Amino acid sequence: MADEGRAGIEDRSSVVPRENKTSEGLLVDKYNVEASEILANEALRLPITEAVPIYEQLLSVFPTAGKFWKQYVEAYMAVNNDDATKQIFSRCLLNCQLISLWRCYIRFIRKVNEKKGAEGLEETKKAFEFMLNYVGTDISSGPVWMEYIAFLKSMPAVTAQEESQRMTAVRKIYQKAIVTPTHHVEQLWKDYENFENSVSRALAKGLLSEYQPKYNSARAVYRERKKYIDEIDWNMLAVPPTGSYKEEQQYLAWKKLLTFEKGNPQRIDSVSSMKRVTFTYEQCLMYLYHYPDIWYDYVTWHAKTGSVDSAVKIFQRALKALPDTEVLRYAYAELEESRGSIQPAKKIYESLLANGTNITALAHIQFIRFLRRTEGVEAARKYFLDARKSPNCTYHVFVAYAMMAFCLDKDPKVAHNVFEAGLKRFMHEPGYILEYADFLCRLNDDRNVRALFERVLSSLPAEESVEIWKRFAQFENTYGDLASMLKVEQRRKEALSGTGEEGTSMLEGSLHDVVSRYSFMDLWPCSSKDLDHLSRQEWLAKNVNRKIDKSNLAFGTGSIDKGSSGLTTTQKTNTSSKVVYPDTSKMVVYDPMQPNGSGLISSAVAPGLPVLSGSMATSTAISGGGTTKALDEILKVMPPALVAFIAHLPPVEGPSPDVDIVLSILLQSNIPTVQAQSGKTGLPQQPQQLSAGPGPTTSDLSASGRARSNQNNSTYRQSSKRKDLERQEDDDTTTVQSRPLPRDVFRLRQLQRSRGSVTSQTGSAASGGSAFSGEPSGSSG
């Protein structure tokens, strides 16, 4: 006994560090699934009084975790605390439609009522009907149907009437069970056949023939439903979406199942079909509890089927589950407003504005629009006067109200006054200035537009006025005369010459300025080829004082920073069709098995890009010399588009290449076009020669042919050497236009491999040498 006690103490002491580690993990991330599972397992070993705080903590984070609720309630059932058990069931049953939890409930009901005689049997029967009403359509509910049927058969029947009532009740449950697609539908059909034949063979024939097609339909639907059910992880805990591969797969699996159920594959009545879809949504929310689009989809389905009151209740549950999801509140208010419930909708908006410091400018704007729709212009104006005093009021509120007064109320004077009032507070906001300028342009008030630009540009620092100058130049290009156009353009260059945005070279006139002035929308005064040429030359001119890295030039025009060119905002969006730049802002991370927190690239290296994840980070961490500093040095010489592409590469399970080494090789490689040194095979310049037919055999080569081959080869070598010398002399002044095209190394290796195989087969080097390199073939002897 002493040894056992000592062993128990040792076991307990070994658990303590694990509990501390688990608690620390939950403090960092309360949705840490692994730590929560460990904590739940630890609670199993504790007395119920010590385990209660643990269960309450877990269920406050995972309120739809059926397995945690089941474990919690079974702990109370084990100590026969019926009152606490009933209280827990009342908290979880309707929100956790899990078969195992409901079977635990029916087991508790049967135990409580087993000694109450007829009254207890009736209570148990009601509990069974209550359970089947909620979870009877579950694909795993077959054992529940069987248990209920066995319970009905075991009920005492003294008189013939009671026996008849019992048989009728059993038949009714059988007929419901055999038309429900469950795992046990075939077993239930066999039991039903035996039941009817044991009662009356004459009656059984008619009933079985009536229900045979319904059973066949249920069995067919079960087989289809099972395909969707098998893709779902029923042990998954509801956590906020992180974008992991597993979560995305579960999301798609649930969407497929919901679509399948909405299609009513069994062709049952609409009430039963809606009940089945509702049950599927409720099960889905047990696992996708933090997905606002699932809640909204559930609400929309209820609204489309005419159950607006049910949709409102779902919205209320959604806001309780996701109180910080602002878009659900707008959708809820929209539903109430659409059905004429103005006051409930107004309360929803007011709840958004009651968050104190968390009030957003968007909430002010949307409430102003709501008040104008429902209560009129004066109510909107009154609220705007109050909202503009709020510390959360940004320039967006002024713009929204001014444009509402201008476009909806047709009152340009009020709009102008609002813009002027906002200018005193938001003179430093380029976005506000541009909106104000657009408003004045709509009024055709060119005098005030120029006055606005002059007023703002005199107070804004140069680095914050880039967009203002561009819009000013664009305005003069559109509405001004040639003198004012050229004057503003020159002023813009002088003002921005020291900011690095335009560069000192922009003080000189360039053809790019003419292109900017004389283009319109997607119409250009030059060809796309000329535009590409101008872009390259402008980039090279700006970087003339910097050492141009060959690895940067290797990427061609793709590395040119179009954002710093002289093109206006409109022109930048209409670049040449031949210069294609990927829109990295719309990239989506494809991440099969990404562990959390694996990013290594800092935002300082690639501003505006997401943190590097996946295989890139993994390979950097495990490579011998692959430090973050080394990776940063590599990324500095790469174009932003390529950095963004690499940052979004998916991780690879299993062996994967070391990305640092691969990138280093690619960036340091400088493969010449021609390699025709003595003793080495060169690659002819004409690509069509590479695809020539098989090389001639030894017998086909005449003496004159060999001489001509030698002469051509020597001439070719001399010209290649001259080109190599010229290339070395011009190496320091290499430009994008003069850089030779890269050699197709993969194609060359294929040809050399085929050459080697032919040589080994024929026993002579003549079959491939002259065809590929221009060198004379050796004699076969």
Side-chain angles (χ1 to χ4, degrees):
M1 289 294 293
D3 293 339
E4 292 178 359
R6 186 165 54 254
I9 293 173
E10 291 173 355
D11 292 341
R12 183 64 182 161
S13 63
S14 63
V15 169
V16 172
R18 191 176 184 184
E19 288 180 343
N20 293 337
K21 186 177 180 181
T22 303
S23 301
E24 291 175 2
L26 291 176
L27 288 175
V28 175
D29 178 16
K30 67 177 182 178
Y31 293 106
N32 189 323
V33 173
E34 183 180 358
S36 299
E37 297 279 5
I38 294 173
L39 197 61
N41 290 332
E42 296 294 341
L44 287 173
R45 308 174 189 177
L46 300 175
I48 184 61
T49 53
E50 298 180 21
V52 167
I54 296 177
Y55 287 125
E56 291 294 339
Q57 177 188 353
L58 291 174
L59 293 170
S60 65
V61 178
F62 304 104
T64 59
K67 58 183 180 181
F68 289 166
W69 282 110
K70 180 175 179 290
Q71 185 176 322
Y72 190 13
V73 78
E74 284 178 340
Y76 270 119
M77 290 173 62
V79 296
N80 296 317
N81 191 336
D82 295 343
D83 293 335
T85 302
K86 290 178 182 179
Q87 185 180 6
I88 295 173
F89 275 129
S90 66
R91 291 169 57 190
C92 67
L93 275 182
L94 298 183
N95 293 327
C96 297
Q97 300 190 6
L98 189 68
I99 285 293
S100 59
L101 178 63
W102 281 81
R103 294 191 71 181
C104 182
Y105 162 73
I106 206 68
R107 189 168 71 248
F108 168 74
I109 293 296
R110 295 188 72 170
K111 186 193 77 168
V112 170
N113 294 289
E114 63 182 353
K115 296 180 180 180
K116 293 184 179 179
E119 181 183 355
L121 292 175
E122 188 63 26
E123 289 293 328
T124 304
K125 183 180 178 181
K126 291 180 180 179
F128 267 116
E129 292 175 352
F130 173 70
M131 177 174 62
L132 291 173
N133 183 55
Y134 275 93
V135 298
T137 58
D138 192 284
I139 197 171
S140 301
S141 63
V144 177
W145 290 101
M146 292 180 175
E147 185 179 355
Y148 187 29
I149 291 170
F151 169 76
L152 291 176
K153 288 180 178 180
S154 65
M155 291 185 69
V158 180
T159 64
Q161 183 178 2
E162 290 177 349
E163 178 67 21
S164 176
Q165 291 176 351
R166 185 178 66 175
M167 290 298 103
T168 301
V170 171
R171 177 179 290 112
K172 184 178 180 181
I173 298 302
Y174 262 127
Q175 290 172 353
K176 287 183 178 180
I178 61 177
V179 298
T180 304
T182 64
H183 293 307
H184 297 76
V185 65
E186 295 182 1
Q187 182 63 42
L188 285 165
W189 173 254
K190 293 177 181 177
D191 294 345
Y192 179 55
E193 284 183 320
N194 296 333
F195 169 76
E196 291 293 358
N197 287 323
S198 65
V199 175
S200 172
R201 289 187 173 273
L203 183 62
K205 186 176 181 180
L207 290 173
L208 293 176
S209 61
E210 178 185 353
Y211 278 89
Q212 179 81 43
K214 298 179 182 179
Y215 156 71
N216 290 336
S217 176
R219 185 177 60 177
V221 170
Y222 158 71
R223 291 172 180 171
E224 287 297 317
R225 181 189 286 181
K226 188 176 183 297
K227 297 177 183 177
Y228 299 101
I229 293 293
D230 290 343
E231 297 179 6
I232 294 174
D233 180 9
W234 297 95
N235 290 317
M236 177 181 173
L237 291 176
V239 298
T242 61
S244 68
Y245 177 74
K246 180 181 177 181
E247 289 178 0
E248 296 299 329
Q249 290 298 105
Q250 288 300 299
Y251 176 85
L252 292 176
W254 278 109
K255 293 290 284 187
K256 291 176 183 176
L257 179 60
L258 287 167
T259 303
F260 172 76
E261 296 294 353
K262 288 177 184 178
N264 191 8
Q266 203 173 347
R267 300 296 180 265
I268 54 181
D269 60 278
S270 60
V271 175
S272 301
S273 177
M274 286 185 61
K275 186 177 179 181
R276 185 167 293 176
V277 174
T278 300
F279 171 75
T280 307
Y281 267 115
E282 292 293 339
Q283 277 197 322
C284 176
L285 288 172
M286 289 174 57
Y287 304 95
L288 304 183
Y289 187 71
H290 297 277
Y291 285 66
D293 51 333
I294 297 295
W295 286 102
Y296 184 72
D297 192 27
Y298 192 13
V299 168
T300 304
W301 175 77
H302 268 301
K304 287 182 178 179
T305 55
S307 304
V308 181
D309 292 335
S310 299
V312 170
K313 293 179 181 178
I314 301 301
F315 258 135
Q316 293 171 352
R317 288 173 54 194
L319 294 180
K320 185 178 179 181
L322 305 172
D324 298 328
T325 306
E326 192 173 346
V327 66
L328 286 179
R329 295 185 182 271
Y330 291 130
Y332 184 19
E334 181 181 277
L335 177 65
E336 293 285 16
E337 185 181 352
S338 64
R339 67 173 188 160
S341 303
I342 304 303
Q343 289 305 314
K346 187 175 182 179
K347 289 181 180 179
I348 297 170
Y349 281 109
E350 289 173 347
S351 69
L352 276 169
L353 297 167
N355 292 332
T357 57
N358 295 325
I359 301 175
T360 63
L362 183 61
H364 288 303
I365 294 171
Q366 297 302 334
F367 191 43
I368 290 172
R369 292 178 176 177
F370 169 78
L371 289 175
R372 189 197 174 278
R373 289 194 304 266
T374 57
E375 299 182 14
V377 177
E378 188 59 29
R381 186 188 70 83
K382 184 178 179 180
Y383 180 77
F384 168 72
L385 295 176
D386 293 335
R388 68 177 185 173
K389 302 174 184 177
S390 171
N392 309 97
C393 180
T394 64
Y395 74 87
H396 305 83
V397 179
F398 281 79
V399 173
Y401 182 72
M403 297 311 296
M404 184 179 70
F406 177 58
C407 298
L408 300 180
D409 302 334
K410 313 300 181 185
D411 195 340
K413 184 177 180 180
V414 171
H416 190 275
N417 291 338
V418 172
F419 270 118
E420 277 296 319
L423 191 62
K424 298 175 183 178
R425 290 179 56 181
F426 306 111
M427 178 77 77
H428 63 285
E429 293 285 354
Y432 184 77
I433 306 304
L434 297 178
E435 291 291 341
Y436 191 7
D438 286 342
F439 165 73
L440 294 175
C441 287
R442 292 187 184 186
L443 295 179
N444 293 323
D445 192 353
D446 58 327
R447 184 176 62 85
N448 278 327
V449 172
R450 290 187 176 91
L452 173 66
F453 281 131
E454 295 291 351
R455 197 161 103 188
V456 171
L457 290 172
S458 63
S459 61
L460 272 180
E463 59 272 9
E464 296 180 11
S465 62
V466 176
E467 292 299 323
I468 307 295
W469 276 112
K470 288 183 179 180
R471 185 65 63 87
F472 193 10
Q474 184 183 4
F475 171 79
E476 291 295 349
N477 290 344
T478 306
Y479 301 102
D481 54 25
L482 183 59
S484 62
M485 187 189 315
L486 297 176
K487 182 179 179 181
V488 170
E489 188 65 32
Q490 184 64 24
R491 288 177 59 196
R492 180 173 75 95
K493 293 176 182 179
E494 292 174 355
L496 302 179
S497 60
T499 64
E501 286 287 340
E502 300 293 338
T504 55
S505 62
M506 289 297 293
L507 291 173
E508 304 175 0
S510 68
L511 191 59
H512 232 311
D513 300 333
V514 182
V515 172
S516 300
R517 288 195 291 269
Y518 290 95
S519 61
F520 179 74
M521 297 178 66
D522 58 345
L523 304 178
W524 299 86
C526 59
S527 65
S528 59
K529 183 178 180 180
D530 292 336
L531 189 63
D532 294 341
H533 170 74
L534 290 174
S535 298
R536 289 195 298 270
Q537 295 303 322
E538 182 186 13
W539 182 82
L540 291 171
K542 291 180 182 179
N543 294 274
V544 69
N545 294 326
R546 292 190 297 176
K547 184 178 179 181
I548 301 175
D549 198 322
K550 291 181 180 180
S551 60
N552 215 7
L553 290 173
F555 295 104
T557 58
S559 61
I560 296 175
D561 185 7
K562 300 290 286 184
S564 61
S565 68
L567 294 176
T568 60
T569 304
T570 306
Q571 292 163 343
K572 286 199 299 181
T573 59
N574 296 306
T575 53
S576 167
S577 60
K578 288 191 176 182
V579 183
V580 181
Y581 298 93
D583 188 357
T584 57
S585 64
K586 292 183 172 58
M587 275 186 165
V588 179
V589 180
Y590 172 73
D591 188 359
M593 300 293 289
Q594 176 186 0
N596 291 331
S598 61
L600 289 178
I601 293 183
S602 63
S603 60
V605 178
L609 294 179
V611 178
L612 180 64
S613 60
S615 60
M616 183 76 170
T618 305
S619 61
T620 304
I622 66 176
S623 60
T627 62
T628 306
K629 183 177 180 181
L631 180 61
D632 291 349
E633 293 299 324
I634 296 174
L635 291 172
K636 285 179 182 178
V637 298
M638 293 170 58
L642 183 57
V643 175
F645 170 74
I646 292 173
H648 291 79
L649 285 176
V652 180
E653 285 294 318
S656 61
D658 191 329
V659 181
D660 291 344
I661 297 176
V662 173
L663 287 177
S664 300
I665 293 172
L666 292 176
L667 292 173
Q668 295 171 9
S669 299
N670 188 12
I671 304 172
T673 306
V674 179
Q675 203 173 38
Q677 300 174 1
S678 60
K680 298 182 181 180
T681 52
L683 186 65
Q685 288 183 341
Q686 298 299 329
Q688 58 265 28
Q689 294 180 13
L690 295 177
S691 59
T697 60
T698 306
S699 59
D700 294 334
L701 290 175
S702 61
S704 61
R706 286 195 296 269
R708 186 164 52 253
S709 176
N710 286 328
Q711 183 179 359
N712 292 339
N713 186 48
S714 62
T715 304
Y716 175 75
R717 288 182 178 180
Q718 292 174 1
S719 63
S720 299
K721 290 181 179 179
R722 284 197 301 270
K723 291 179 179 178
D724 289 339
L725 291 174
E726 293 173 359
R727 187 178 299 109
Q728 292 175 2
E729 292 174 356
D730 297 339
D731 185 57
D732 295 335
T733 58
T734 303
T735 62
V736 175
Q737 294 88 344
S738 62
R739 190 181 188 280
L741 293 175
R743 184 179 61 182
D744 192 345
V745 182
F746 180 75
R747 177 64 174 161
L748 176 59
R749 288 177 179 173
Q750 284 185 318
L751 296 174
Q752 290 175 344
R753 189 179 295 112
S754 63
R755 176 187 178 186
S757 62
V758 173
T759 303
S760 61
Q761 291 174 3
T762 61
S764 170
S767 61
S770 61
F772 294 148
S773 64
E775 295 180 356
S777 302
S779 175
S780 62

